[in-house]
Amino acid sequence: MRFGLNFSLLCFGAIGVAAANLSGAQTIVTSDTPSAQLLNETFQIDVGMFVLSQSTKASLQGQGTNNPQVNFNQAFGAGYNTERFRVDGLWRITERQHVEFMYFTNGISRSRTIPADDPVEWGNYAFSGDVTAKSRLSVYELGYEYAFMKTPTFEWGAGAGIHYTKVKLELDGNATVTNPDGTTTALMGTAKTASVPAPLPVLGTRAGWAFADNWVLDGQVQLLGFSYDQFHGHWWDVKAGVTYLFTQHIGVGAAYDSFTTQLSIEQSNFNGRLNLGYRGGMLFIRGAF
């Protein structure tokens, strides 16, 4: 297994220096304000939706065993509908030891009329007519974090964890399937799906700063360069946001998230690449107790 340690340490070091400067600069906010109290709550959860997203790149390729590769972008074009949803959680076991969890889903749907004389072939299926290509990337994360710097109004920590990444590709529409005896059967409204899980380790760092009575500024960097078994590639996520707290237990916030993943998979049931990136804004609700 190979980690992108040099880049990781540079990022962590830069955030650590910034953290020290911010921590030394705080002189106004007191420990009994909603923002400072938030940094000491046992549980914290953010639930958000992406409202202003700009795709930077999206390329999906996949193939079945002994079958030609399908380039989803080339076959169905760059225009698509997206669905992005994210949940972040933090459990402060002790003042400095934390457990983090995250769930993120990115769904893409594209439709196109495929001519019968030039069908999209995937596995033993040949799709033509009105065909919809769907892809979904789901990420589950569980990690441990240690707060190297902790004051009443500032927190900075770093740690490691594991991501469970699942990629699902699907074609929906009318298709002709080739049977084992060489004959063909026409199917109306069928679907062909390829799905593969990828458990991957990850390094991360996070900081939170109560810079005003009801305001918290926080940021997070997670990254990984890896080569493990049949999985190869890299993954990184940078998120920064600000939260306004109505009380120490509830608030609303806005964040900017930049996400990139390049995953190469070599398995008997799926052999292909997933290149996906986006950057954009999200709104979220933050709760703590």
Side-chain angles (χ1 to χ4, degrees):
M1 186 177 296
R2 175 176 53 83
F3 291 88
L5 285 177
N6 292 335
F7 184 49
S8 302
L9 293 174
L10 285 174
C11 289
F12 295 168
I15 291 177
V17 171
N21 292 334
L22 288 174
S23 180
Q26 50 188 325
T27 58
I28 300 176
V29 180
T30 59
S31 59
D32 59 350
T33 60
S35 59
Q37 290 174 344
L38 174 73
L39 298 183
N40 294 283
E41 292 285 2
T42 303
F43 295 98
Q44 177 180 309
I45 187 168
D46 297 347
V47 180
M49 294 288 292
F50 288 84
V51 296
L52 190 69
S53 56
Q54 175 185 356
S55 177
T56 56
K57 56 184 176 181
S59 177
L60 289 164
Q61 295 180 314
Q63 66 182 38
T65 306
N66 300 322
N67 287 283
Q69 194 173 72
V70 177
N71 186 312
F72 281 53
N73 270 26
Q74 184 178 10
F76 294 92
Y80 47 75
N81 298 318
T82 61
E83 173 192 338
R84 297 186 181 121
F85 175 77
R86 177 166 175 158
V87 177
D88 291 90
L90 180 70
W91 174 25
R92 292 181 175 88
I93 304 174
T94 67
E95 184 180 71
R96 292 183 178 268
Q97 297 187 76
H98 311 151
V99 172
E100 295 181 295
F101 65 91
M102 185 265 284
Y103 170 71
F104 168 76
T105 182
N106 183 90
I108 301 174
S109 177
R110 290 168 279 187
S111 298
R112 182 183 172 188
T113 301
I114 305 297
D117 57 353
D118 188 21
V120 173
E121 297 183 4
W122 200 18
N124 57 341
Y125 288 71
F127 286 87
S128 62
D130 295 331
V131 182
T132 299
K134 300 177 182 179
S135 64
R136 179 167 294 277
L137 173 69
S138 299
V139 179
Y140 306 82
E141 178 203 345
L142 183 64
Y144 169 81
E145 175 188 272
Y146 184 81
F148 294 98
M149 189 175 295
K150 179 71 175 178
T151 73
T153 56
F154 189 84
E155 183 177 68
W156 171 65
I162 187 167
H163 274 169
Y164 181 84
T165 301
K166 186 175 182 179
V167 182
K168 181 179 180 180
L169 308 177
E170 181 177 310
L171 292 179
D172 293 335
N174 300 331
T176 300
V177 60
T178 301
N179 302 312
D181 59 4
T183 61
T184 60
T185 302
L187 300 176
M188 306 295 289
T190 190
K192 174 66 174 177
T193 302
S195 179
V196 59
L200 305 169
V202 67
L203 301 176
T205 183
R206 183 189 61 85
W209 178 30
F211 67 93
D213 289 353
N214 296 82
W215 293 90
V216 174
L217 181 68
D218 47 25
Q220 185 178 49
V221 176
Q222 296 179 315
L223 47 88
L224 173 68
F226 61 89
S227 179
Y228 173 72
D229 199 12
Q230 304 101 339
F231 309 107
H232 313 278
H234 69 262
W235 186 98
W236 63 276
D237 181 34
V238 179
K239 179 186 176 187
V242 62
T243 304
Y244 177 79
L245 295 162
F246 302 106
T247 70
Q248 71 184 76
H249 300 295
I250 189 70
V252 295
Y256 183 84
D257 194 14
S258 179
F259 173 92
T260 296
T261 181
Q262 292 186 359
L263 180 63
S264 176
I265 306 166
E266 299 173 3
Q267 289 189 333
S268 59
N269 66 328
F270 182 86
N271 184 358
R273 294 194 305 271
L274 170 69
N275 298 317
L276 174 67
Y278 71 84
R279 59 179 183 269
M282 63 177 291
L283 297 177
F284 61 89
I285 298 174
R286 172 167 293 179
F289 55 95

